[in-house]
Amino acid sequence: MTRDDQDRLAAEHVLGLLEGEERTLAERLLDSDESFQALVRQWRTRFAEWDNTAADVVPSDVLWQQIEAGLEAQPAAAAVRPAPPARRETSPGLLQGLWNSLAFWRSFGMAGALAALLLALGVGYFADKATRQPTLVAVLMNEANQPGAVLRTFADGRAELTPLGNMEIPHNHSIQVWTFPDPAGAPVSVGVVQTAKTVLLELRNLPRPHSNQLFAISVEPLTGSPTGLPTGPVVMKGTASTAL
Amino acid sequence: MKAALGEMASPALDLNDALGRCARGDRLALRAIYDSEAPRMLGVAMRLLRRRALAEEAVHDTFLQVWRKADSFDPARGDARSWLYAILRNRALNILRGETRTDLVEDFEPMGLVSEEENAEAVMMRLSDTGSLKRCLERLEPARRQAITLAYIHGLSHGELAGRLGVPLGTIKSWIRRSLVSLRECMT
């Protein structure tokens, strides 16, 4: 790679324009190659003036508290070595860190949605559970950030979609369920649904779904999207988590 | 606007010194960086991510990384401020990439929390007259200037730029490349 190529790669890395192989290459060079690091630093300095054109936005009052709570959970590099795991779990600092951590609350929100859902599904679910343990569960949240449907995948490649609450499908339309087996790739349809009730979906032709895989539902013509990609608005989405 | 920018600049914090103190575990130093830089950082993150909640998440994650990595910052190898903003931009761009993949339509945030897209020429006007970026951008054709500005401040991809500016993808790529060559010549 010529010096000019490296320089272009460094600049496009700083701009955030790299994708795919070039992005991986730039990240590798940034970790290992001092001359590349120097090129990146030069471009950062050249472009830094743009950062000064952003209007100041006053952070919300809790942002600093959340950062400070995050510090509890991860001591500074130079501070004492982390206590052994057994002690860390019981340390009040860590608990307080969790209490304030964005990520924790985010997962707690999902867990709460899941708990509500399990209640909604009722006793039948539990009676059936031994034989029909789902492998992954995705709670799809609607525009109002409320659980709108739940999707469960099973070890045999089937999946089940259960709409929640008062989901309505617009007249003369369907909802179509999509997933992203490759997070960087195009969505793939896994089923078209005309009535709001629990339905089976077919995932057998797709790579085995993984946790964090995204599922989304769009509104489509009655027979599904004519293009093979979502054409209507996305009304719900959520990522899958491993069912324990 | 000028006055607001002026006020921000006045409490001159020695970032090198503050990062050194962070590396030694001094939380007050991190707080001082926060007080001095967080509003600007949030502004930069808002331009990239549009949504306040995501932008605050990027700033949150950035400060945790600053705390964790403060001891790896070497003042001899670059300016403290650009080190801070590099962490912020990396984090925000990663969030942006993750989000745009998943967001098929942008209708999930209530009105008012989403920042407006800024016009590249307006951004030009706010660049300092004394810095070289403005002078060197002025040498580019307006459409090319717009492409590179939108890429940096809003994190638009080649494909998004092509759509926005109504030109083929290959054209955008060569515009960006030529603009970079011109900027490098002009700014060194």
Side-chain angles (χ1 to χ4, degrees):
Chain A
M1 191 180 232
T2 67
R3 176 96 180 153
D4 278 354
D5 286 338
Q6 282 219 358
D7 192 59
R8 195 265 308 162
L9 198 69
E12 293 196 346
H13 166 77
V14 175
L15 287 170
L17 280 174
L18 296 179
E19 290 173 89
E21 279 174 24
E22 282 201 321
R23 189 171 147 206
T24 317
L25 174 64
E27 280 164 6
R28 208 178 61 226
L29 288 172
L30 201 55
D31 279 341
S32 59
D33 184 323
E34 289 204 5
S35 71
F36 188 73
Q37 290 165 1
L39 293 173
V40 166
R41 277 198 300 274
Q42 283 172 9
W43 282 109
R44 279 182 187 147
T45 309
R46 288 173 191 141
F47 291 153
E49 288 181 49
W50 264 322
D51 295 329
N52 290 327
T53 65
D56 289 344
V57 179
V58 178
S60 63
D61 293 341
V62 295
L63 184 59
W64 173 254
Q65 292 163 27
Q66 287 165 337
I67 291 167
E68 209 172 24
L71 303 184
E72 301 281 351
Q74 52 153 59
V80 279
R81 292 205 149 272
R87 272 187 54 209
R88 287 192 74 191
E89 266 164 39
T90 53
S91 101
L94 181 66
L95 281 180
Q96 206 203 340
L98 272 181
W99 180 256
N100 289 296
S101 140
L102 283 172
F104 174 73
W105 281 109
R106 215 181 280 133
S107 63
F108 185 82
M110 290 307 267
L114 186 56
L117 162 80
L118 290 180
L119 281 176
L121 291 182
V123 187
Y125 171 80
F126 291 100
D128 217 14
K129 190 177 173 218
T131 50
R132 299 188 58 227
Q133 168 77 32
T135 50
L136 294 171
V137 176
V139 177
L140 309 189
M141 308 298 268
N142 61 21
E143 298 96 321
N145 216 17
Q146 297 296 315
V150 66
L151 189 143
R152 292 178 293 155
T153 71
F154 297 91
D156 63 2
R158 283 180 314 121
E160 205 172 84
L161 179 81
T162 306
L164 300 175
N166 48 2
M167 182 168 95
E168 281 179 21
I169 300 175
H171 178 66
N172 234 354
H173 284 74
S174 67
I175 55 169
Q176 191 156 3
V177 188
W178 305 88
T179 191
F180 295 72
D182 170 8
V188 177
S189 171
V190 291
V192 179
V193 180
Q194 274 98 12
T195 44
K197 64 178 173 90
T198 296
V199 289
L200 275 179
L201 303 169
E202 188 57 69
L203 295 182
R204 265 177 267 217
N205 298 326
L206 297 178
R208 195 182 178 79
H210 49 85
S211 67
N212 280 330
Q213 182 162 327
L214 180 81
F215 289 87
I217 291 183
S218 67
V219 176
E220 299 294 341
L222 207 51
T223 53
S225 161
T227 65
L229 288 172
T231 61
V234 170
V235 291
M236 282 177 214
K237 59 179 181 175
T239 51
S241 303
T242 308
L244 298 179
Chain B
M1 195 66 214
K2 271 258 155 62
L5 289 174
E7 275 165 23
M8 258 314 291
S10 62
L13 172 72
D14 181 344
L15 279 177
N16 283 339
D17 173 62
L19 285 174
R21 285 190 286 138
C22 283
R24 294 191 294 276
D26 178 356
R27 276 194 197 185
L28 290 177
L30 190 72
R31 176 68 205 225
I33 299 173
Y34 179 88
D35 287 339
S36 144
E37 295 296 330
R40 178 58 46 86
M41 288 168 98
L42 191 54
V44 167
M46 282 286 281
R47 286 202 302 204
L48 288 165
L49 293 165
R50 312 293 170 80
R51 300 164 188 200
R52 185 169 185 125
L54 290 177
E56 292 210 349
E57 183 182 328
V59 173
H60 170 269
D61 296 352
T62 300
F63 274 93
L64 292 191
Q65 277 197 54
V66 166
W67 182 247
R68 206 168 54 228
K69 294 188 186 167
D71 63 334
S72 73
F73 169 69
D74 176 2
R77 302 180 62 190
D79 162 67
R81 207 154 183 272
S82 84
W83 185 79
L84 282 183
Y85 282 81
I87 295 176
L88 174 71
R89 280 183 56 84
N90 270 340
R91 184 68 200 116
L93 287 170
N94 282 336
I95 294 175
L96 184 66
R97 287 190 191 107
E99 281 295 302
T100 45
R101 297 281 184 221
T102 66
D103 253 46
L104 301 171
V105 287
E106 293 215 352
D107 57 359
F108 276 15
E109 192 100 0
M111 295 294 285
L113 292 176
V114 179
S115 77
E116 287 299 311
E117 186 164 298
E118 247 179 324
N119 175 296
E121 293 303 308
V123 172
M124 266 286 284
M125 300 300 289
R126 285 214 301 283
L127 280 170
S128 160
D129 287 324
T130 54
S132 54
L133 185 59
K134 183 174 192 170
R135 176 174 53 82
C136 294
L137 283 170
E138 276 168 351
R139 305 190 348 173
L140 302 178
E141 281 174 31
R144 299 180 186 201
R145 180 158 75 216
Q146 197 182 3
I148 198 165
T149 307
L150 291 177
Y152 187 86
I153 68 165
H154 290 311
L156 296 191
S157 66
H158 283 125
E160 287 166 328
L161 289 169
R164 190 70 52 93
L165 303 179
V167 294
L169 189 60
T171 307
I172 282 292
K173 288 187 177 175
S174 78
W175 279 5
I176 295 277
R177 286 172 191 201
R178 286 183 202 168
S179 300
L180 289 171
V181 171
S182 160
L183 287 177
R184 186 185 58 193
E185 279 169 7
C186 176
M187 294 180 83
T188 39

